[in-house]
Amino acid sequence: NAGVMQNPRHLVRRRGQEARLRCSPMKGHSHVYWYRQLPEEGLKFMVYLQKENIIDESGMPKERFSAEFPKEGPSILRIQQVVRGDSAAYFCASSPQRTRSSGANVLTFGAGSRLTVL
Amino acid sequence: AQTVTQSQPEMSVQEAETVTLSCTYDTSESDYYLFWYKQPPSRQMILVIRQEAYKQQNATENRFSVNFQKAAKSFSLKISDSQLGDAAMYFCASHWGSGNTGKLIFGQGTTLQVKP
């Protein structure tokens, strides 16, 4: 089991370009979450997706950011017209479908994608 | 608003000794879960331990244990027999309610240094 796979690990973009970050959840996991970690801070929730559905995007900036989790393929976090403030580590996590007996799902995190905007 | 606070930006411990990392939280919810995550220099987030709020017994995982004080809204992590590999950033996190199970609130983190 390869775990949660994120790529690229490092991405450098110039201001105004687009950034695409990909996340493949653990095998058998149907829930994907994206978090952002600014330097010297904890992780902040961005969005929660299931296949073809956005369940909770309350942490997503209103503009330039979008996320999808298609029926086939990885989840994508897309940042359009990047600015320097978007420089951060972006983490993806996945979990299996929750059951009442399991309580809160334990998230399995990927190693993150570090975005640097020049 | 629900919050998680870690008031110790940095801590250090001598190898083989015990260290306690502090975490407090604020919520009006009755159903919630608390977690400690470890983030080594590789940046990988690794779950260390979890605690269900409805359980009175403190969770333990080998050398890691928690002191869960529900009335005081405190959730500290104790690392016994510290090892060099324990050096990392530690984050306290919580999930509230019975809805979305992946929306965690993280504290600011505590950097733990282990001295040989």
Side-chain angles (χ1 to χ4, degrees), chain B residues 45-70:
Chain B
M45 292 291 287
I46 303 164
L47 178 68
V48 174
I49 201 165
R50 62 178 278 184
Q51 173 84 40
E52 291 87 343
Y54 61 85
K55 288 187 177 178
Q56 292 186 336
Q57 187 173 8
N58 289 326
T60 63
E61 285 289 339
N62 301 314
R63 297 183 295 106
F64 299 86
S65 61
V66 299
N67 183 5
F68 176 44
Q69 301 287 326
K70 193 170 183 178

Side-chain angles (χ1 to χ4, degrees), chain A residues 9-92:
Chain A
R9 287 296 310 273
H10 302 276
L11 182 64
V12 179
R13 286 287 178 264
R14 298 192 179 279
R15 281 179 296 170
Q17 291 184 317
E18 178 180 286
R20 281 185 183 235
L21 309 176
R22 288 175 291 277
C23 169
S24 296
M26 275 189 73
K27 189 175 181 180
H29 286 191
S30 56
H31 299 213
V32 166
Y33 315 83
W34 285 94
Y35 283 79
R36 176 164 65 174
Q37 184 179 30
L38 294 172
E40 309 301 324
E41 293 187 13
L43 279 68
K44 297 279 197 297
F45 170 82
M46 298 180 76
V47 63
Y48 161 38
L49 310 105
Q50 295 178 19
K51 287 282 189 182
E52 299 184 284
N53 281 305
I54 296 174
I55 307 302
D56 183 345
E57 55 181 349
S58 57
M60 287 278 271
K62 298 297 181 201
E63 298 177 345
R64 302 187 297 109
F65 285 72
S66 62
E68 63 176 7
F69 189 16
K71 188 176 180 181
E72 302 290 338
S75 175
I76 306 284
L77 179 67
R78 182 184 178 203
I79 311 171
Q80 296 178 288
Q81 299 176 323
V82 296
V83 300
R84 291 220 172 103
D86 296 333
S87 295
Y90 291 84
F91 286 89
C92 172

Side-chain angles (χ1 to χ4, degrees), chain A residues 9 33 35 37 42-43 48 56 58 91 98 102-107 109-112 114, chain B residues 33 35 37 39 42-45 47 50 91 95 98-104 106-108:
Chain A
R9 287 296 310 273
Y33 315 83
Y35 283 79
Q37 184 179 30
L43 279 68
Y48 161 38
D56 183 345
S58 57
F91 286 89
R98 178 191 178 192
S102 65
N105 282 329
V106 172
L107 300 188
F109 281 86
R114 182 171 293 281
Chain B
Y33 301 81
F35 306 86
Y37 280 88
Q39 187 178 43
S42 66
R43 290 207 323 264
Q44 181 79 49
M45 292 291 287
L47 178 68
R50 62 178 278 184
F91 290 97
H95 165 259
S98 57
N100 181 338
T101 61
K103 188 174 180 179
L104 300 180
F106 283 84
Q108 305 91 321

Side-chain angles (χ1 to χ4, degrees), chain B residues 3-24:
Chain B
T3 59
V4 175
T5 302
Q6 293 176 252
S7 57
Q8 305 157 315
E10 295 179 357
M11 291 283 285
S12 67
V13 63
Q14 207 69 36
E15 195 176 5
E17 306 255 305
T18 295
V19 65
T20 298
L21 308 184
S22 301
C23 173
T24 58

